[in-house]
Amino acid sequence: MTDAQHAVEAAQKALEEAQAALAAATEAAQRQAVAAESVTAPTAPASGPLDDERVASIRSGYSMQGAVLEMGALVNGDAMPDVPVRIPIAMTNRHGLVAGATGTGKTKTLQVLAEQLSAAGVPVFAADIKGDLSGIAVEGAGGEKLLARTAGIGQDWKPTAHPTEFYCLGGVGHGVPVRATVSSFGPLMLSKVLGLNQTQESSLGLVFHYADLHGLPLVDLTDLRTVIQFLTSPEGKADLAELGGLSKATAGVILRELITFAADGADVFFGEPEFDTAEFLRTTADGRGIVSLLEVPGVADKPALFSTFLMWLLADLFNDLPEVGDIDRPKLVFFFDEAHLLFKDASKAFLSAITQTVRLIRSKGVGIFFVTQTPKDVPSDVLAQLGSRVQHQLRAHTPDDQTALRSTVRTYPNSGYDLEQVLMNLGIGEAIVTVMNEKGAPSPVAWTRLRAPQGSMDPAPADVIAHSVASSPLMARYGQAIDPESAHEMLAARMNAAAEAQAARDADAQRDKAQAEYEKALRDLKKRDGTTTRTTTRRTTKAPAGPGDVVGDLLGSRAGQTVIREVVRGIFGTLGRR
């Protein structure tokens, strides 16, 4: 082959490579143009309430760099999957609120958040009020309608089960029993659940102080009742006088409320072994956070007990956990469903304790989400601490509803929405969302179509729950209730010992009295006998009579026999009274 031919082939080869490179560059340029067009081109339908500038602001406001919880996609007429709405996981310990009318999807929103937190390695605690959260433990069932909805918001839906531990209060229900001692529950929360006034609450505090001062463990309600009964008994009169401030009338009110409280089933919630709330911070071997579900049957009948017991869990976590400051993900996220039950009829002292716990527990790495019907269910001091808000549909069928709606609208920053209308027209599974971004600033208000849970939206089958509970390693530690020596046994032993000592003293006194009466009777007989036989004694000299002679003389005379009978009757009457 000549040099010319070599040159021609080289030129052809170079031309082919150049053409291939040009084609690849052209294809890449086309892809970039399409991507740029999808980002920059107006995507809001003409029917949407937001203009292009508002849409761009929301897109920018929810662009996060760190790990996030995917809430859903912006709705502007139709869902916009290219505009996702998110919550930074690092900001979930700044707390949040999920609110909305019954049937609008609050529980499913809670499940979506819990599933993603678990997948990110964050443990979750939630009270399963209606029983439908248990479906998180089994895979969800996909359907054509569900898949069409999730595809429309950009969700790659896959059925997924999440690690779940089931709990129940004091062994009532299906789960690992959760118990607390009366001492750890404390007088403040117990006063709230008993409905005591401030005077009675103060008196109950004195009872707790006395028990602590005298080493009397208050394990269950029986212990507390025994301490109060002791202080108001003759045996505890001196201790009560030293303690001060507890009248018998107030003690009677507290005792009656404790009896009613126990009759409502509360007695099974108090006892040992006391649950260690650190169990809620566990993760699986593969790094997923365990979802802890507390079954609360009949909560409508015992709202104060339910809310106060959950508040005890938070207070116990607050006392036990160390300070960690701002971390990339929380140690635990706590979902407080039916939160209005917590604040209903709460005293000022109790509300102050809740506010302080919510404000300070963030630094312990714990996030709290309150789930309720309207924001007005949560006190303003607590509401001010909540960084993220997911507001489902609100209804305005009554004047009170309309007032609540207007109050809710005023709490949101400016947006491109007529929020009063939007909040009444949100569909099921849609919400108005605003969160705290990674810089700690509020994100734009976004009408959001929320993601669907990947676990089952129905309650888990009973056999699945039963197997999970039976195989739990916690059952060996908390499954069986124990009855240790506590205030009831200690005070009962003290009172029994005091009663026995008093009975012995009474017996000694009665015996001494009987002996004294006997001796006095003998002296009286001697004196009487000496009077009646004085003349005979002067005429006849004989040896002094001994006791036997005296008794013999008495038995030989009618008067003496009468005296002897009276003495014996008195002695046996005294012994009979013993």
Side-chain angles (χ1 to χ4, degrees):
M1 185 178 292
T2 63
D3 292 341
Q5 289 174 329
H6 282 298
V8 171
E9 287 185 3
Q12 288 177 343
K13 186 176 181 179
L15 178 61
E16 291 174 356
E17 291 177 351
Q19 288 174 339
L22 178 61
T26 302
E27 184 179 355
Q30 289 175 345
R31 287 198 301 268
Q32 291 177 355
V34 171
E37 182 179 358
S38 65
V39 173
T40 59
T43 56
S47 59
L50 303 179
D51 57 24
D52 296 346
E53 184 179 353
R54 292 280 190 180
V55 172
S57 174
I58 292 174
R59 179 185 285 110
S60 174
Y62 288 93
S63 297
M64 314 290 183
Q65 300 299 318
V68 297
L69 303 177
E70 296 286 353
M71 295 296 298
L74 176 70
V75 174
N76 195 32
D78 289 323
M80 303 176 65
D82 60 315
V83 189
V85 177
R86 305 158 165 152
I87 301 177
I89 290 182
M91 292 292 109
T92 52
N93 72 335
R94 302 300 179 94
H95 314 318
L97 174 72
V98 179
T102 301
T104 56
K106 298 190 301 296
T107 302
K108 301 312 170 191
T109 298
L110 189 163
Q111 186 172 342
V112 167
L113 294 173
E115 289 179 350
Q116 294 188 57
L117 286 165
S118 174
V122 179
V124 172
F125 176 89
D128 193 5
I129 305 298
K130 298 180 287 292
D132 47 4
L133 265 180
S134 60
I136 198 172
V138 296
E139 293 183 352
E144 183 178 347
K145 184 177 180 180
L146 173 66
L147 294 177
R149 184 186 188 281
T150 55
I153 59 175
Q155 179 184 1
D156 182 17
W157 188 89
K158 295 178 181 178
T160 308
H162 297 81
T164 307
E165 189 81 70
F166 295 95
Y167 297 92
C168 61
L169 291 180
V172 178
H174 304 90
V176 178
V178 177
R179 300 181 182 90
T181 63
V182 171
S183 293
S184 66
F185 209 74
L188 181 63
M189 285 189 286
L190 191 57
S191 296
K192 192 263 183 181
V193 79
L194 294 177
L196 303 182
N197 60 33
Q198 290 185 348
T199 300
Q200 294 156 355
E201 181 180 311
S202 175
S203 297
L204 185 61
L206 289 176
V207 175
F208 273 74
H209 173 70
Y210 172 82
D212 184 59
L213 193 64
H214 290 79
L216 300 172
L218 299 177
V219 174
D220 52 27
L221 295 178
T222 300
D223 291 323
L224 183 57
R225 289 198 301 267
T226 301
V227 172
I228 297 174
Q229 289 167 347
F230 172 77
L231 287 173
T232 54
S233 70
E235 291 81 2
K237 185 176 181 180
D239 290 343
L240 180 61
E242 181 180 347
L243 185 65
L246 179 63
S247 68
K248 287 191 176 183
T250 300
V253 172
I254 297 174
L255 283 173
R256 286 195 298 273
E257 294 299 332
L258 284 173
I259 292 171
T260 303
F261 190 43
D264 287 340
D267 53 337
V268 300
F269 303 142
F270 295 96
E272 288 191 345
E274 183 171 83
F275 190 80
D276 183 358
T277 52
E279 306 287 3
F280 297 138
L281 307 180
R282 295 179 300 139
T283 57
T284 61
D286 59 359
R288 292 180 296 167
I290 293 178
V291 179
S292 300
L293 295 182
L294 178 70
E295 179 182 324
V296 191
V299 65
D301 299 329
K302 308 177 186 69
L305 172 65
F306 153 73
S307 61
T308 308
F309 206 94
L310 292 185
M311 194 60 204
W312 167 81
L313 295 181
L314 269 184
D316 196 67
L317 286 169
F318 178 77
N319 291 329
D320 293 347
L321 292 177
E323 295 279 345
V324 294
D326 292 324
I327 50 181
D328 58 352
R329 62 183 184 182
K331 291 185 175 182
L332 174 70
V333 174
F334 190 105
F335 288 95
F336 210 135
D337 202 1
E338 301 294 343
H340 65 281
L341 299 176
L342 175 63
F343 306 107
K344 182 181 179 181
D345 301 327
S347 66
K348 290 183 179 179
F350 188 76
L351 288 176
S352 177
I354 296 173
T355 304
Q356 182 181 25
T357 300
V358 172
R359 184 172 63 250
L360 299 179
I361 204 170
R362 176 188 67 80
S363 63
K364 304 295 186 82
V366 177
I368 305 172
F369 276 72
F370 294 97
V371 184
T372 189
Q373 294 194 3
T374 70
K376 72 180 182 64
D377 293 333
V378 181
S380 57
D381 288 343
V382 176
L383 199 62
Q385 309 294 325
L386 310 182
S388 299
R389 293 180 59 183
V390 181
Q391 179 66 61
H392 288 264
Q393 182 193 120
L394 286 176
R395 300 178 183 126
H397 300 316
T398 68
D400 288 342
D401 291 341
Q402 294 171 359
T403 301
L405 175 62
R406 287 191 291 270
S407 298
T408 300
V409 170
R410 288 197 298 269
T411 62
Y412 281 94
N414 293 331
S415 68
Y417 301 108
D418 180 354
L419 283 179
E420 191 166 332
Q421 289 299 317
V422 170
L423 286 173
M424 289 191 296
N425 290 286
L426 290 170
I428 296 175
E430 294 182 348
I432 293 296
V433 177
T434 179
V435 306
M436 185 176 289
N437 66 23
E438 293 169 314
K439 296 180 180 180
S443 65
V445 177
W447 181 347
T448 306
R449 185 164 296 164
L450 300 166
R451 290 194 163 210
Q454 293 178 306
S456 175
M457 297 190 207
D458 297 321
D463 60 333
V464 171
I465 297 176
H467 179 268
S468 174
V469 174
S471 60
S472 171
L474 300 181
M475 284 300 290
R477 189 179 310 169
Y478 303 108
Q480 186 64 43
I482 59 177
D483 186 15
E485 185 181 36
S486 54
H488 174 70
E489 291 79 11
M490 295 169 69
L491 285 177
R494 184 188 303 181
M495 295 174 73
N496 288 338
E500 290 175 0
Q502 184 61 45
R505 289 192 295 270
D506 291 345
D508 290 342
Q510 294 293 347
R511 188 167 52 251
D512 293 342
K513 181 179 179 181
Q515 181 66 28
E517 289 179 352
Y518 175 73
E519 293 176 353
K520 181 177 183 297
L522 289 178
R523 288 195 299 270
D524 291 344
L525 287 174
K526 289 180 181 180
K527 184 184 298 184
R528 189 176 306 169
D529 181 68
T531 303
T532 58
T533 61
R534 184 176 303 164
T535 306
T536 305
T537 302
R538 290 176 181 171
R539 294 176 181 172
T540 306
T541 303
K542 52 195 304 187
D549 297 325
V550 173
V551 172
D553 292 341
L554 286 172
L555 292 175
S557 65
R558 186 179 301 276
Q561 291 174 2
T562 302
V563 171
I564 288 294
R565 282 197 299 271
E566 291 299 324
V567 171
V568 171
R569 186 180 294 114
I571 292 173
F572 279 98
T574 301
L575 293 176
R577 287 194 296 274
R578 287 173 51 196

